[in-house]
Every structure is written in structure tokens, then in C-alpha cells.
């Protein structure tokens, strides 16, 4: 058992030394660090872009659903108001049975209206959540692109400094 544990310690120590050597190489070469970071940001961009398109598609579908629900709510509200108004008119004319029928139909429409309004609130909440996800994802894309552009600018500046230092030598 002692030999195996000693070998494990030796392997771990070798790994640690290799990591230190790799870190030192990256510290010594700022261009390599910039390239590595650019590759990481490019990968993030590649991963996030399809998500942004998917979110945008879902938002478009929900926009249509919100508009449709708005129309349904307006129609139901108009039916409730019209039923109550008609009930009042026929009641004044002395037709209590028809007035009761209009009030009943109006109450049914009002129940449907309340259900639609609750469902509509959930749809709007979903849409708002998607908007927030979309904003975050697009901000992440812009930030990654900005970081890449900034690193490319620094790389050019480092290249110019290197060229100048070689001319001076």
C-alpha cells in the first residue's frame, strides 16, 4: 500500500508542476492568453447565438398569443356589458324572465372573462421572463464581442511594441 500511495503523490506532484509550467508559459506570453480568452469568448458566442434565436422565436409566438388574448378579453368584456345593458332594457319593459336570462348569460361571460384574464396574466409574465432572458443573452453576446475586439486591439498594440523593440535592438 505504501508504494501505491507514494506513486500517487509523485503523479500529483508532476501534475502540479506541469500546471505551474503551463501557467508560467501563459504569463510569459500575453498574446497566448489573449488568444485563449478569445477562443473561450468565441465558444460562448457560438453557444449563446442559437439560444437567442430560440428565445426570439418563443417571444414572437407569445406576442401573438398576448394579442389574441387581448382581443378575446375585449370581446368578453363587451358581451358582459351588452348583456347587462340588455337585461336592464328588457326589465324596464317588464320582461323579468328575459332580463334574468340576459343577466345569466352576462354572468357566464364574466366568468370566462375572469378565467381569460388570469391566463393572460400568466402569458404576459412568461413573455416578460423571456424578454429578460433575451436581454441577458444579447448583452452576453455584445460583451463577448466587445472583449474580443478589445483584446485584438491590445494584440495589435503589443505587436507594434514588439516590432519597435526589435528595431531598437
Amino acid at each position: 500500500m505504501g508504494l501505491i500511495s507514494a506513486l500517487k503523490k509523485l503523479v500529483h506532484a508532476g501534475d502540479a508542476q506541469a500546471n505551474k509550467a503551463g501557467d508560467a508559459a501563459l504569463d510569459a506570453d500575453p498574446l497566448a492568453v489573449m488568444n485563449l480568452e478569445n477562443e473561450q469568448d468565441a465558444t460562448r458566442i457560438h453557444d449563446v447565438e442559437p439560444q437567442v434565436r430560440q428565445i426570439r422565436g418563443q417571444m414572437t409566438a407569445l406576442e401573438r398569443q398576448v394579442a389574441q388574448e387581448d382581443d378575446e378579453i375585449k370581446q368578453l368584456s363587451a358581451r358582459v356589458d351588452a348583456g347587462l345593458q340588455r337585461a336592464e332594457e328588457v326589465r324596464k319593459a317588464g320582461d323579468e324572465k328575459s332580463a334574468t336570462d340576459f343577466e345569466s348569460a352576462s354572468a357566464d361571460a364574466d366568468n370566462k372573462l375572469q378565467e381569460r384574464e388570469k391566463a393572460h396574466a400568466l402569458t404576459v409574465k412568461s413573455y416578460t421572463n423571456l424578454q429578460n432572458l433575451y436581454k441577458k443573452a444579447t448583452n452576453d453576446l455584445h460583451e463577448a464581442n466587445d472583449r474580443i475586439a478589445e483584446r485584438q486591439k491590445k494584440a495589435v498594440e503589443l505587436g507594434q511594441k514588439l516590432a519597435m523593440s526589435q528595431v531598437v535592438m
Side-chain angles (χ1 to χ4, degrees), residues 29-54:
D29 187 358
L31 289 176
V33 172
M34 287 181 201
N35 285 335
L36 177 63
E37 290 171 342
N38 279 353
E39 287 175 18
Q40 291 170 341
D41 277 336
T43 300
R44 280 188 202 107
I45 290 169
H46 183 265
D47 292 344
V48 171
E49 282 178 335
Q51 293 171 359
V52 168
R53 286 191 296 275
Q54 181 181 15

Side-chain angles (χ1 to χ4, degrees), residues 80-142:
V80 169
D81 293 343
L84 291 174
Q85 183 179 358
R86 188 68 180 128
E88 189 177 315
E89 290 170 1
V90 295
R91 181 167 281 122
K92 285 181 183 177
D95 188 354
E96 189 61 35
K97 180 180 179 340
S98 293
T100 303
D101 290 343
F102 280 118
E103 287 173 342
S104 177
S106 182
D108 289 344
D110 190 48
N111 288 336
K112 288 179 185 176
L113 173 63
Q114 290 176 19
E115 290 173 12
R116 287 313 299 145
E117 286 174 337
K118 287 178 185 176
H120 183 63
L122 292 174
T123 302
V124 169
K125 184 176 181 178
S126 295
Y127 180 76
T128 302
N129 290 340
L130 280 176
Q131 276 184 317
N132 292 336
L133 281 173
Y134 183 78
K135 287 177 187 175
K136 183 186 179 327
T138 55
N139 284 342
D140 288 349
L141 285 176
H142 292 300

Side-chain angles (χ1 to χ4, degrees), residues 49-67:
E49 282 178 335
Q51 293 171 359
V52 168
R53 286 191 296 275
Q54 181 181 15
I55 291 169
R56 186 68 197 135
Q58 291 172 340
M59 285 174 59
T60 301
L62 280 176
E63 286 169 355
R64 285 191 294 264
Q65 185 174 345
V66 166

Side-chain angles (χ1 to χ4, degrees), residues 145-164:
N145 280 320
D146 291 347
R147 285 191 303 268
I148 288 171
E150 184 62 30
R151 281 190 216 103
Q152 287 172 339
K153 181 179 171 185
K154 285 181 182 179
V156 169
E157 290 171 1
L158 280 173
Q160 290 171 344
K161 286 179 183 178
L162 180 61
M164 293 293 275

